């Protein structure tokens, strides 16, 4: 399966967005941790912010952004693995023409956002910026950018 970013091949159908706790591949390949993460996010979404002071709300915004960057970095790492394996569509047993097409179809990302994500993942974990990815704290990268080039890495937090 080819893993380029500009194929026009068909993409798998839309995802429900729900996480299953059943095994996906072999033993140990479970989504339990992602299910637990989703539960914590659901709890945060249900909180009433009205009773919090301005300082607490502001501090939470900063802390939450830092925490959001961590799964984005992990997402890029796993996206690079999907791309390297040509595994886009494997969750449905479908062969997809490119990793970017798969992201467009499954996550409804725009063409630019999907290509940018794949390029950033490749650069950080399989290409010219692997040393940058290795130097970062685990999963601390913010990837969305207006324009991407190999000389302008994603904004990555180093503190």
């Amino acid at each position: 399966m080819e893993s380029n970013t500009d194929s026009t091949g068909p993409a798998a159908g839309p995802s429900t967005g729900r996480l299953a706790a059943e095994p996906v591949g072999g033993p140990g390949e479970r989504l339990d941790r992602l299910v637990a993460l989703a539960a914590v996010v659901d709890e945060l979404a249900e909180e009433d912010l009205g009773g919090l002071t301005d300082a607490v709300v502001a501090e939470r915004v900063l802390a939450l952004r830092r925490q959001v960057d961590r799964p984005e970095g992990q997402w890029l790492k796993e996206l690079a693995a999907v791309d390297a394996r040509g595994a886009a569509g494997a969750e449905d047993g479908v062969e997809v023409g490119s990793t970017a097409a798969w992201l467009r179809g499954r996550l409804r990302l725009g063409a630019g956002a999907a290509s940018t994500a794949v390029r950033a993942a490749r650069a950080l974990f399989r290409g010219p910026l692997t040393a940058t990815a290795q130097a970062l704290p685990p999963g601390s990268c913010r990837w969305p950018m207006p324009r991407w080039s190999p000389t302008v890495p994603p904004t990555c937090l180093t503190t």
Side-chain angles (χ1 to χ4, degrees):
M1 191 177 331
E2 189 177 345
S3 61
N4 63 32
T5 60
D6 52 28
S7 172
T8 57
S15 174
T16 62
R18 296 185 183 266
L19 296 173
E22 294 85 30
V24 177
E29 293 182 322
R30 301 181 59 89
L31 297 176
D32 291 347
R33 292 182 189 165
L34 295 176
V35 171
L37 177 61
V40 170
V41 172
D42 289 345
E43 289 175 17
L44 288 171
E46 293 174 7
E47 287 183 8
D48 178 18
L49 303 178
L52 302 177
T53 67
D54 291 349
V56 170
V57 173
E59 187 57 39
R60 283 173 55 114
V61 165
L62 299 174
L64 188 56
R65 179 69 249 177
R66 289 181 197 112
Q67 291 305 313
V68 167
D69 290 342
R70 295 178 71 199
E72 284 181 7
Q74 183 63 30
W75 182 74
L76 285 173
K77 181 179 178 181
E78 295 190 25
L79 178 60
V82 166
D83 185 60
R85 294 177 184 191
E91 78 286 359
D92 285 333
V94 176
E95 187 172 316
V96 181
S98 76
T99 303
W102 175 66
L103 292 175
R104 289 192 309 268
R106 293 298 303 224
L107 299 179
R108 300 184 184 268
L109 293 182
S115 292
T116 296
V118 173
R119 288 181 182 142
R122 285 178 182 167
L124 282 169
F125 296 100
R126 296 178 37 216
L129 300 176
T130 54
T132 300
Q134 292 168 357
L136 295 171
S140 59
C141 204
R142 196 176 301 144
W143 66 269
M145 299 163 290
R147 294 192 182 266
W148 187 90
S149 79
T151 59
V152 182
T155 303
C156 296
L157 304 176
T158 56
T159 58

